Amino acid sequence: MRGATHARWAACAVAVALAATGCGGGGGDSGGSGADGIVSSSWSDPQNPLEPANTNEVQGGKVLDMIFRGLKKYDPKTGAATDMMAESIETTDSTNFTIKIKNGWTFSNGEKVTAKSYVDAWNYGANLRNNQKNAYFFGYIDGYEQVHPESGDPTAQTLSGLKVVDDLTFTVKLSQKFSTWPDTLGYSAFAPLPQAFFDDHDAWVAKPVGNGPYTLQSYQKGNQAQLRRWDDYPGPDKAQNGGIDLKVYTDNNTAYTDLIAGNLDLVDDVPASQLKNVQADLGDRYINTPAGIIQTLAFPFYDDAWNTPDGAKLRTGLSRAINREQITQTIFQNTRTPAKDWTSPVLGADGGFDDTLCGDACEYDPAAAKQLIEEGGGLPGGQVRLTYNADTGSHRDWVDAVCNSINNALGNDKACVGNPVGTFADFRNQIGEQKMPGPFRAGWQMDYPLIQNFLQPLYYTNASSNDGKWSNERFDDLVDQANAESDTAKAVDLFKQAEEVVRDQMAAIPLWYQNGSAGYSERISNVALNPFSVPVYNEIKVN
């Protein structure tokens, strides 16, 4: 894993589904073999239509990463930002950037990818009227407040900081110094869009057209998405297979069973209930590698019952009632590690990971938990309802274990209960509608190895993935200072100070760091997970 020796501070959020999906219908050996063979893989229906600026969860992100390529791409082994469509990105003041794109790129419908393709896409994504979930990511560009005001209607339709110079060149003016802003541009929200997107938006959404190594041939919600290799793709990372069939599963145990039965090629989230069997079942076809993922419990700060003057004590008390060590060992079979901060070990110490930062607040202590919860005013309504999506056995198992731990610590078998929501999409919709009755599952998958990426998108006031609506002026100020700091070590220190505010207020309870896990059939080879735990689909080979 690459640490943040070359910092990249940006808000590129992805809410982690971490739920395989499903329904079956297999035939893992029905897709031919060799370079034209089709790989079948487990998947979940994405929450939103597959628009780059409107997808901020991992299932939709998997598809966007296959059908789009942007200015930068994150290395599948290290996560480092490398040039893809960018010929050069130059600046003399860390505020004004000149971007030149490579010639010869087209979308899969034959349209040329130009500077205008980027400028139009970013303007669309930023505009309040288009209601794009990732609009926040354009917030550093000059003119954002006019196209996306906090209240009222936009007073401008385009970002004043974007200018097309010629077919292959455009300029960007930021509203503040941001020396490493270019390295954020591998996130899918910054992908270019063809004119077809704007000419007939509904038709494009029904069958998205991109410029990546695959095209989306078809998508049937609840069934599967069929992606096929685009033979005219001009990039260096061409698909090594004929395509990917992403099959929807509502239970990843079913997906795993299909894999073992030879009806599926790849499962990219081995269910917790199968971890005790997976080594014997798959041998070296089981992948268990560190990934930039942390699981937390978020709180509904929009609910006054969870946002009281003494609420930090209540939330810290709940943290101290969770026996992370026992849960990670018994439920997750060494594929999780108890969290000691709000980031990930893949950052390394230089990148901001600190296994002492949470301290006692993350240590199991029933007596301290009881006292803190009492001092914090007690459990709202007398009970914690812990909400999660139920379309995977993995979440149900650990939620039950967390509630059992809280109940045992408090000596009350009704202090905590699980509150399942049927599907990930419904779960995310209820979160967006601010309907959480208490703490809720909040997984985070990094977009690149940066401490900023674990903090700003989740805890900055009104940030895109700040689902609990926590707000703290001191935290925001420290993040702003860190983003403007060009010295990496100083920036990391400022971010860690901001993280201490998260700790002191227990803005979310860190649970555990997660490995990426996957299993695959004998029919395929060259299978790997990137540092974000997503399969490197284009490199998979069919035997």
Side-chain angles (χ1 to χ4, degrees):
M1 294 293 177
R2 174 178 173 176
T5 53
H6 179 194
R8 300 188 293 279
W9 321 129
C12 301
V14 178
V16 182
L18 293 180
T21 36
C23 78
D29 60 353
S30 64
S33 60
D36 295 326
I38 306 301
V39 178
S40 60
S41 181
S42 61
W43 190 51
S44 288
D45 282 313
Q47 179 188 10
N48 300 307
L50 295 167
E51 299 174 89
N54 203 31
T55 295
N56 68 346
E57 44 79 29
V58 75
Q59 303 300 340
K62 290 175 183 177
V63 177
L64 293 181
D65 286 345
M66 284 193 274
I67 66 175
F68 280 102
R69 287 293 180 263
L71 296 168
K72 296 276 187 175
K73 183 176 185 296
Y74 299 115
D75 186 278
K77 291 185 174 62
T78 67
T82 57
D83 287 342
M84 179 51 72
M85 274 205 67
E87 184 71 49
S88 63
I89 303 177
E90 298 177 345
T91 184
T92 58
D93 59 6
S94 299
T95 301
N96 294 279
F97 295 83
T98 298
I99 300 175
K100 294 183 180 296
I101 66 173
K102 294 174 182 175
N103 198 7
W105 280 70
T106 67
F107 294 100
S108 61
N109 65 355
E111 286 186 40
K112 185 177 180 180
V113 185
T114 66
K116 187 174 183 292
S117 307
Y118 282 95
V119 170
D120 287 352
W122 296 6
N123 278 324
Y124 181 90
N127 195 305
L128 177 65
R129 288 194 171 96
N130 297 323
N131 195 31
Q132 299 289 282
K133 289 187 176 295
N134 289 336
Y136 174 82
F137 303 142
F138 304 100
Y140 282 104
I141 300 175
D142 226 23
Y144 180 76
E145 292 180 356
Q146 285 69 52
V147 301
H148 202 109
E150 290 189 12
S151 60
D153 294 327
T155 57
Q157 297 305 305
T158 59
L159 294 159
S160 59
L162 293 180
K163 303 291 184 186
V164 174
V165 176
D166 57 42
D167 267 6
L168 301 178
T169 311
F170 66 104
T171 59
V172 183
K173 182 181 180 182
L174 304 184
S175 56
Q176 68 178 71
K177 286 183 180 294
F178 197 167
S179 62
T180 48
W181 174 78
D183 286 344
T184 73
L185 300 178
Y187 184 55
S188 60
F190 295 102
L193 287 170
Q195 186 59 40
F197 175 91
F198 305 98
D199 290 344
D200 192 339
H201 181 257
D202 290 344
W204 189 95
V205 167
K207 191 171 183 180
V209 173
N211 65 328
Y214 294 93
T215 61
L216 182 61
Q217 186 177 83
S218 66
Y219 170 40
Q220 296 173 305
K221 187 173 183 178
N223 185 13
Q224 69 176 351
Q226 293 184 315
L227 294 108
R228 293 297 178 261
R229 181 182 65 222
W230 178 30
D231 289 329
D232 292 330
Y233 171 63
D237 54 337
K238 295 180 183 294
Q240 303 300 304
N241 49 67
I244 309 291
D245 283 349
L246 297 174
K247 295 180 176 291
V248 175
Y249 284 84
T250 55
D251 184 344
N252 60 351
N253 284 287
T254 306
Y256 185 83
T257 300
D258 276 354
L259 171 66
I260 299 304
N263 296 322
L264 190 68
D265 292 322
L266 175 62
V267 170
D268 66 354
D269 183 17
V270 175
S273 60
Q274 298 294 342
L275 291 173
K276 61 183 179 296
N277 306 317
V278 66
Q279 196 69 55
D281 288 343
L282 298 175
D284 60 6
R285 290 181 286 111
Y286 167 53
I287 300 172
N288 178 26
T289 57
I293 299 174
I294 185 171
Q295 286 282 339
T296 66
L297 293 181
F299 292 94
F301 288 93
Y302 46 79
D303 183 342
D304 290 343
W306 287 98
N307 194 14
T308 65
D310 292 323
K313 290 183 177 181
L314 165 64
R315 297 185 294 273
T316 303
L318 285 172
S319 175
R320 302 213 67 178
I322 299 171
N323 192 335
R324 296 165 178 80
E325 196 73 41
Q326 183 181 70
I327 293 171
T328 54
Q329 288 179 0
T330 58
I331 299 293
F332 292 116
Q333 305 286 313
N334 300 316
T335 62
R336 310 289 191 276
T337 305
K340 305 293 186 182
D341 74 349
W342 282 258
T343 69
S344 167
V346 302
L347 295 181
D350 290 343
F353 170 68
D354 186 347
D355 64 3
T356 68
L357 193 137
C358 190
D360 290 344
C362 287
E363 295 298 327
Y364 178 63
D365 187 329
K370 275 186 176 181
Q371 181 177 342
L372 284 165
I373 290 172
E374 183 177 342
E375 292 176 355
L379 301 178
Q383 186 179 68
V384 174
R385 294 175 63 196
L386 205 169
T387 305
Y388 64 100
N389 56 296
D391 52 358
T392 168
S394 299
H395 297 318
R396 181 177 63 248
D397 294 343
W398 70 255
V399 167
D400 287 348
V402 165
C403 276
N404 287 338
S405 181
I406 292 172
N407 292 342
N408 291 337
L410 301 184
N412 177 357
D413 62 5
K414 295 182 180 179
C416 179
V417 295
N419 181 43
V421 176
T423 67
F424 175 70
D426 287 344
F427 173 64
R428 289 298 308 168
N429 288 335
Q430 289 187 26
I431 289 173
E433 294 165 2
Q434 299 184 16
K435 292 182 176 179
M436 292 295 102
F440 55 97
R441 181 187 82 77
W444 184 255
Q445 175 186 15
M446 71 177 186
D447 302 299
Y448 37 79
L450 271 202
I451 185 173
Q452 180 278 339
N453 194 233
F454 286 91
L455 297 177
Q456 183 170 355
L458 295 165
Y459 307 114
Y460 196 90
T461 300
N462 293 324
S464 59
S465 291
N466 186 348
D467 291 330
K469 304 304 177 184
W470 183 68
S471 180
N472 183 282
E473 186 176 349
R474 173 64 175 160
F475 174 87
D476 291 353
D477 288 345
L478 286 164
V479 167
D480 288 342
Q481 292 176 47
N483 279 332
E485 177 58 65
S486 59
D487 182 277
T488 298
K490 291 179 181 178
V492 168
D493 182 64
L494 286 164
F495 276 120
K496 288 180 68 174
Q497 291 180 47
E499 189 180 0
E500 290 171 357
V501 178
V502 172
R503 174 200 63 201
D504 294 343
Q505 295 299 312
M506 196 55 72
I509 295 176
L511 294 175
W512 37 76
Y513 313 118
Q514 181 169 324
N515 280 8
S517 67
Y520 60 96
S521 73
E522 294 177 346
R523 184 174 168 270
I524 60 176
S525 59
N526 204 38
V527 182
L529 300 178
N530 64 24
F532 318 108
S533 85
V534 173
V536 187
Y537 292 107
N538 62 290
E539 294 184 1
I540 297 174
K541 297 180 179 179
V542 180
N543 301 325

CSV table of all heavy atoms in Angstrom, one decimal, residues 297-329:
chain,number,residue,atom,x,y,z
A,297,LEU,N,-20.3,2.9,13.2
A,297,LEU,CA,-21.7,3.1,13.5
A,297,LEU,C,-21.9,4.6,13.5
A,297,LEU,O,-21.2,5.4,14.2
A,297,LEU,CB,-22.1,2.6,14.8
A,297,LEU,CG,-22.1,1.0,15.0
A,297,LEU,CD1,-22.5,0.7,16.4
A,297,LEU,CD2,-23.0,0.4,14.0
A,298,ALA,N,-22.7,5.1,12.6
A,298,ALA,CA,-23.0,6.5,12.5
A,298,ALA,C,-24.3,6.8,13.3
A,298,ALA,O,-25.0,5.9,13.7
A,298,ALA,CB,-23.3,6.9,11.0
A,299,PHE,N,-24.5,8.1,13.6
A,299,PHE,CA,-25.6,8.5,14.5
A,299,PHE,C,-26.4,9.6,13.7
A,299,PHE,O,-25.9,10.4,12.9
A,299,PHE,CB,-25.1,9.2,15.8
A,299,PHE,CG,-24.4,8.2,16.7
A,299,PHE,CD1,-23.1,8.0,16.7
A,299,PHE,CD2,-25.2,7.5,17.6
A,299,PHE,CE1,-22.4,7.1,17.5
A,299,PHE,CE2,-24.6,6.5,18.5
A,299,PHE,CZ,-23.2,6.4,18.4
A,300,PRO,N,-27.8,9.6,14.0
A,300,PRO,CA,-28.6,10.6,13.4
A,300,PRO,C,-28.6,11.9,14.2
A,300,PRO,O,-29.5,12.1,15.0
A,300,PRO,CB,-30.0,9.9,13.4
A,300,PRO,CG,-30.0,9.0,14.7
A,300,PRO,CD,-28.5,8.6,14.8
A,301,PHE,N,-27.7,12.7,13.9
A,301,PHE,CA,-27.6,14.0,14.7
A,301,PHE,C,-28.7,14.9,14.3
A,301,PHE,O,-28.9,15.9,15.0
A,301,PHE,CB,-26.2,14.6,14.4
A,301,PHE,CG,-25.1,13.9,15.0
A,301,PHE,CD1,-24.4,12.9,14.4
A,301,PHE,CD2,-24.7,14.2,16.4
A,301,PHE,CE1,-23.3,12.3,15.0
A,301,PHE,CE2,-23.7,13.5,17.0
A,301,PHE,CZ,-23.0,12.5,16.3
A,302,TYR,N,-29.5,14.6,13.3
A,302,TYR,CA,-30.7,15.4,13.0
A,302,TYR,C,-31.8,15.1,14.0
A,302,TYR,O,-32.8,15.8,14.1
A,302,TYR,CB,-31.2,15.2,11.6
A,302,TYR,CG,-31.2,13.7,11.2
A,302,TYR,CD1,-32.2,12.9,11.5
A,302,TYR,CD2,-30.2,13.2,10.4
A,302,TYR,CE1,-32.3,11.5,11.1
A,302,TYR,CE2,-30.2,11.9,10.0
A,302,TYR,CZ,-31.2,11.1,10.4
A,302,TYR,OH,-31.3,9.7,10.0
A,303,ASP,N,-31.6,14.0,14.8
A,303,ASP,CA,-32.6,13.6,15.9
A,303,ASP,C,-32.1,14.2,17.2
A,303,ASP,O,-31.0,13.8,17.7
A,303,ASP,CB,-32.7,12.1,15.9
A,303,ASP,CG,-33.7,11.6,16.9
A,303,ASP,OD1,-34.1,12.4,17.8
A,303,ASP,OD2,-34.1,10.4,16.9
A,304,ASP,N,-32.8,15.1,17.8
A,304,ASP,CA,-32.4,15.8,19.0
A,304,ASP,C,-32.1,14.8,20.1
A,304,ASP,O,-31.2,15.1,21.0
A,304,ASP,CB,-33.5,16.8,19.5
A,304,ASP,CG,-33.6,18.0,18.6
A,304,ASP,OD1,-32.7,18.2,17.8
A,304,ASP,OD2,-34.7,18.7,18.7
A,305,ALA,N,-32.7,13.6,20.1
A,305,ALA,CA,-32.4,12.6,21.2
A,305,ALA,C,-31.0,12.1,21.1
A,305,ALA,O,-30.4,11.7,22.1
A,305,ALA,CB,-33.4,11.5,21.0
A,306,TRP,N,-30.4,12.2,19.9
A,306,TRP,CA,-29.0,11.7,19.8
A,306,TRP,C,-28.0,12.9,19.7
A,306,TRP,O,-26.8,12.6,19.4
A,306,TRP,CB,-28.9,10.8,18.5
A,306,TRP,CG,-29.5,9.5,18.8
A,306,TRP,CD1,-30.8,9.1,18.4
A,306,TRP,CD2,-28.9,8.4,19.5
A,306,TRP,NE1,-31.0,7.8,18.8
A,306,TRP,CE2,-29.9,7.3,19.5
A,306,TRP,CE3,-27.7,8.2,20.1
A,306,TRP,CZ2,-29.7,6.1,20.1
A,306,TRP,CZ3,-27.5,6.9,20.7
A,306,TRP,CH2,-28.4,5.9,20.7
A,307,ASN,N,-28.5,14.1,19.9
A,307,ASN,CA,-27.6,15.2,19.7
A,307,ASN,C,-27.8,16.2,20.9
A,307,ASN,O,-28.2,17.4,20.7
A,307,ASN,CB,-27.9,15.9,18.4
A,307,ASN,CG,-26.9,17.0,18.0
A,307,ASN,OD1,-25.8,17.0,18.5
A,307,ASN,ND2,-27.2,17.8,17.0
A,308,THR,N,-27.6,15.7,22.1
A,308,THR,CA,-27.8,16.4,23.3
A,308,THR,C,-26.4,17.0,23.8
A,308,THR,O,-25.4,16.6,23.3
A,308,THR,CB,-28.4,15.5,24.4
A,308,THR,OG1,-27.4,14.5,24.7
A,308,THR,CG2,-29.7,14.9,24.0
A,309,PRO,N,-26.4,18.0,24.7
A,309,PRO,CA,-25.2,18.5,25.2
A,309,PRO,C,-24.2,17.5,25.8
A,309,PRO,O,-23.0,17.6,25.7
A,309,PRO,CB,-25.7,19.5,26.3
A,309,PRO,CG,-27.0,19.9,25.8
A,309,PRO,CD,-27.6,18.7,25.2
A,310,ASP,N,-24.8,16.4,26.4
A,310,ASP,CA,-23.9,15.3,26.9
A,310,ASP,C,-23.9,14.1,26.0
A,310,ASP,O,-23.5,13.0,26.5
A,310,ASP,CB,-24.5,14.9,28.3
A,310,ASP,CG,-24.3,16.0,29.4
A,310,ASP,OD1,-23.3,16.7,29.3
A,310,ASP,OD2,-25.2,16.2,30.2
A,311,GLY,N,-24.3,14.3,24.8
A,311,GLY,CA,-24.4,13.1,23.9
A,311,GLY,C,-23.1,12.5,23.6
A,311,GLY,O,-23.0,11.2,23.4
A,312,ALA,N,-22.0,13.2,23.7
A,312,ALA,CA,-20.7,12.6,23.4
A,312,ALA,C,-20.4,11.5,24.5
A,312,ALA,O,-19.8,10.4,24.1
A,312,ALA,CB,-19.6,13.6,23.5
A,313,LYS,N,-20.8,11.7,25.7
A,313,LYS,CA,-20.6,10.6,26.7
A,313,LYS,C,-21.5,9.4,26.4
A,313,LYS,O,-21.0,8.3,26.5
A,313,LYS,CB,-21.0,11.2,28.1
A,313,LYS,CG,-20.1,12.2,28.6
A,313,LYS,CD,-20.5,12.7,30.0
A,313,LYS,CE,-19.5,13.7,30.6
A,313,LYS,NZ,-19.9,14.1,32.0
A,314,LEU,N,-22.7,9.6,26.0
A,314,LEU,CA,-23.6,8.5,25.6
A,314,LEU,C,-22.9,7.7,24.5
A,314,LEU,O,-22.8,6.5,24.5
A,314,LEU,CB,-24.9,9.0,25.2
A,314,LEU,CG,-25.9,8.1,24.4
A,314,LEU,CD1,-26.2,6.9,25.3
A,314,LEU,CD2,-27.1,8.8,23.9
A,315,ARG,N,-22.5,8.4,23.4
A,315,ARG,CA,-21.9,7.7,22.3
A,315,ARG,C,-20.6,7.0,22.6
A,315,ARG,O,-20.4,5.9,22.1
A,315,ARG,CB,-21.7,8.7,21.1
A,315,ARG,CG,-23.1,9.3,20.6
A,315,ARG,CD,-22.9,10.2,19.4
A,315,ARG,NE,-22.1,11.4,19.7
A,315,ARG,CZ,-22.6,12.6,20.1
A,315,ARG,NH1,-23.9,12.7,20.4
A,315,ARG,NH2,-21.8,13.6,20.3
A,316,THR,N,-19.8,7.7,23.4
A,316,THR,CA,-18.6,7.0,23.9
A,316,THR,C,-18.8,5.8,24.7
A,316,THR,O,-18.2,4.8,24.6
A,316,THR,CB,-17.7,8.0,24.6
A,316,THR,OG1,-17.4,9.2,23.8
A,316,THR,CG2,-16.3,7.4,25.0
A,317,GLY,N,-19.9,5.9,25.5
A,317,GLY,CA,-20.3,4.8,26.4
A,317,GLY,C,-20.7,3.6,25.5
A,317,GLY,O,-20.3,2.4,25.8
A,318,LEU,N,-21.4,3.8,24.4
A,318,LEU,CA,-21.8,2.7,23.5
A,318,LEU,C,-20.5,2.1,22.9
A,318,LEU,O,-20.4,0.9,22.7
A,318,LEU,CB,-22.7,3.2,22.5
A,318,LEU,CG,-24.2,3.5,22.9
A,318,LEU,CD1,-25.0,4.2,21.8
A,318,LEU,CD2,-24.8,2.2,23.3
A,319,SER,N,-19.6,3.0,22.5
A,319,SER,CA,-18.3,2.5,22.0
A,319,SER,C,-17.6,1.5,22.9
A,319,SER,O,-17.1,0.5,22.5
A,319,SER,CB,-17.4,3.6,21.6
A,319,SER,OG,-16.1,3.2,21.1
A,320,ARG,N,-17.6,1.9,24.2
A,320,ARG,CA,-16.9,1.1,25.2
A,320,ARG,C,-17.7,-0.2,25.6
A,320,ARG,O,-17.1,-1.1,26.2
A,320,ARG,CB,-16.6,1.9,26.5
A,320,ARG,CG,-15.8,3.2,26.2
A,320,ARG,CD,-14.9,3.6,27.3
A,320,ARG,NE,-13.9,2.6,27.5
A,320,ARG,CZ,-12.9,2.7,28.4
A,320,ARG,NH1,-12.9,3.7,29.2
A,320,ARG,NH2,-12.0,1.8,28.5
A,321,ALA,N,-18.9,-0.3,25.1
A,321,ALA,CA,-19.7,-1.5,25.4
A,321,ALA,C,-19.6,-2.5,24.3
A,321,ALA,O,-20.1,-3.6,24.4
A,321,ALA,CB,-21.2,-1.1,25.5
A,322,ILE,N,-18.8,-2.2,23.3
A,322,ILE,CA,-18.6,-3.2,22.1
A,322,ILE,C,-17.3,-3.9,22.3
A,322,ILE,O,-16.2,-3.3,22.3
A,322,ILE,CB,-18.7,-2.4,20.8
A,322,ILE,CG1,-20.0,-1.7,20.7
A,322,ILE,CG2,-18.4,-3.3,19.6
A,322,ILE,CD1,-20.1,-0.8,19.5
A,323,ASN,N,-17.3,-5.2,22.3
A,323,ASN,CA,-16.1,-6.0,22.5
A,323,ASN,C,-15.6,-6.4,21.0
A,323,ASN,O,-15.9,-7.4,20.5
A,323,ASN,CB,-16.4,-7.3,23.2
A,323,ASN,CG,-15.2,-8.1,23.6
A,323,ASN,OD1,-14.1,-7.9,23.0
A,323,ASN,ND2,-15.3,-8.9,24.7
A,324,ARG,N,-14.9,-5.4,20.5
A,324,ARG,CA,-14.4,-5.6,19.1
A,324,ARG,C,-13.5,-6.8,18.9
A,324,ARG,O,-13.6,-7.5,17.9
A,324,ARG,CB,-13.6,-4.3,18.7
A,324,ARG,CG,-14.5,-3.0,18.6
A,324,ARG,CD,-13.6,-1.8,18.6
A,324,ARG,NE,-14.3,-0.5,18.5
A,324,ARG,CZ,-14.9,0.1,19.5
A,324,ARG,NH1,-14.8,-0.5,20.7
A,324,ARG,NH2,-15.6,1.2,19.3
A,325,GLU,N,-12.6,-7.0,19.9
A,325,GLU,CA,-11.7,-8.1,19.8
A,325,GLU,C,-12.4,-9.5,19.6
A,325,GLU,O,-12.1,-10.3,18.7
A,325,GLU,CB,-10.8,-8.2,21.0
A,325,GLU,CG,-9.5,-9.0,20.8
A,325,GLU,CD,-8.5,-8.4,19.9
A,325,GLU,OE1,-8.3,-7.2,20.0
A,325,GLU,OE2,-7.9,-9.1,19.1
A,326,GLN,N,-13.4,-9.7,20.5
A,326,GLN,CA,-14.2,-10.9,20.4
A,326,GLN,C,-15.0,-11.1,19.1
A,326,GLN,O,-15.0,-12.1,18.5
A,326,GLN,CB,-15.1,-11.0,21.6
A,326,GLN,CG,-15.9,-12.3,21.7
A,326,GLN,CD,-16.8,-12.3,22.9
A,326,GLN,OE1,-17.8,-11.6,22.9
A,326,GLN,NE2,-16.5,-13.1,23.9
A,327,ILE,N,-15.6,-10.0,18.7
A,327,ILE,CA,-16.4,-10.0,17.5
A,327,ILE,C,-15.6,-10.3,16.3
A,327,ILE,O,-16.0,-11.1,15.4
A,327,ILE,CB,-17.3,-8.7,17.4
A,327,ILE,CG1,-18.3,-8.6,18.5
A,327,ILE,CG2,-18.0,-8.7,16.0
A,327,ILE,CD1,-19.0,-7.3,18.6
A,328,THR,N,-14.5,-9.6,16.1
A,328,THR,CA,-13.7,-9.8,14.9
A,328,THR,C,-13.1,-11.3,14.9
A,328,THR,O,-12.9,-11.8,13.8
A,328,THR,CB,-12.5,-8.8,14.8
A,328,THR,OG1,-11.8,-8.8,16.1
A,328,THR,CG2,-13.1,-7.4,14.6
A,329,GLN,N,-12.8,-11.8,16.0
A,329,GLN,CA,-12.3,-13.2,16.0
A,329,GLN,C,-13.4,-14.2,15.8
A,329,GLN,O,-13.1,-15.2,15.0
A,329,GLN,CB,-11.6,-13.5,17.4
A,329,GLN,CG,-10.3,-12.8,17.6
A,329,GLN,CD,-9.6,-13.1,18.9
A,329,GLN,OE1,-10.2,-13.8,19.7
A,329,GLN,NE2,-8.5,-12.4,19.2
